[in-house]
Amino acid sequence: MTEGTVRNFPPVVARLTQFLPLVPLERLIATAADRVATQHPEFFDRLGDYADKSFVVVPTDLDWVARITFYDGRVQIRLSRSIESFANRDVTVTAPFLSLLNLLDGKEDGDALFFSRDLSIEGDTEAVLALRNALDDAEIDFIHECASIAGPFSQPLETGGKTLLDALRNSSFTRSSGPAHADAASAPMPGAYPT
């Protein structure tokens, strides 16, 4: 987001996601991730020695966490309600969900988020940098790749997904925390995800 604002879903969204079954969501994301891996094998070359790391992603405004691992040219994703399910993790990345999506799309600057303390990284920071560089170099359009698994419905799904995401980025439904640099020095550093 060019204006440097961080958007969060309201607390009611996290409460609603408590009732979202994780297994179908996990399978959907894993299928899309497998397609991305097939279409972008250069990603794994760029990731190099860090491909054996375990990355845990924590959306602070939702009620689930994800572990992402890379093995033998494949992406493996597991979802859980508790970060304690992934005790053996090398990296933990914590940020609001839309900020995480914006980082993937290159619409938000990871350095600005980190120094504003809206993005927290624990563990192997070199692995995070390697992952970020690999994603940047691959120039992956994640919504396009996810929509592609829908076959003949892929085009309307992609259009609808991008329209919805843009609407959420600009909507009053998502609460803005203001400029990313505001009061950075006095803001507390996000800690571990509550279990």
Side-chain angles (χ1 to χ4, degrees):
M1 305 173 96
T2 54
E3 74 272 19
T5 59
V6 175
R7 292 195 169 273
N8 298 273
F9 287 121
V12 66
V13 174
R15 288 195 290 272
L16 289 174
T17 59
Q18 292 176 355
F19 305 102
L20 183 69
L22 293 184
V23 172
L25 180 62
E26 181 180 281
R27 289 180 181 167
L28 177 64
I29 297 172
T31 301
D34 279 340
R35 176 178 170 78
V36 170
T38 301
Q39 297 294 320
H40 299 274
E42 72 279 6
F43 167 80
F44 294 93
D45 295 334
R46 188 72 173 85
L47 195 54
D49 294 338
Y50 297 101
D52 63 349
K53 299 293 184 180
S54 173
F55 298 83
V56 170
V57 178
V58 181
T60 57
D61 48 357
L62 296 180
D63 188 55
W64 48 269
V65 297
R67 184 187 66 193
I68 306 170
T69 55
F70 308 94
Y71 178 73
D72 196 24
R74 297 192 63 190
V75 182
Q76 298 176 341
I77 295 178
R78 296 290 178 265
L79 302 182
S80 176
R81 300 287 181 198
S82 170
I83 196 171
E84 298 308 320
S85 301
F86 308 129
N88 297 322
R89 58 189 183 272
D90 297 297
V91 180
T92 305
V93 178
T94 306
F97 182 71
L98 284 176
S99 292
L100 292 168
L101 287 182
N102 288 338
L103 286 171
L104 289 177
D105 286 345
K107 295 185 181 296
E108 202 150 15
D109 179 51
D111 292 334
L113 280 174
F114 179 77
F115 288 112
S116 70
R117 302 182 183 186
D118 292 302
L119 170 71
S120 171
I121 299 172
E122 299 175 9
D124 191 339
T125 54
E126 290 186 4
V128 174
L129 290 175
L131 178 61
R132 172 182 160 181
N133 291 336
L135 288 169
D136 288 346
D137 290 350
E139 297 183 349
I140 301 169
D141 184 338
F142 285 93
I143 293 182
H144 170 76
E145 299 292 356
C146 291
S148 295
I149 66 177
F153 302 103
S154 60
Q155 187 57 52
L157 189 60
E158 177 180 350
T159 302
K162 289 183 176 179
T163 301
L164 176 61
L165 188 53
D166 286 340
L168 286 173
R169 285 171 174 149
N170 300 306
S171 172
S172 59
F173 176 74
T174 52
R175 298 169 297 127
S176 172
S177 63
H181 59 276
D183 299 323
S186 61
M189 179 67 85
Y193 187 72
T195 56

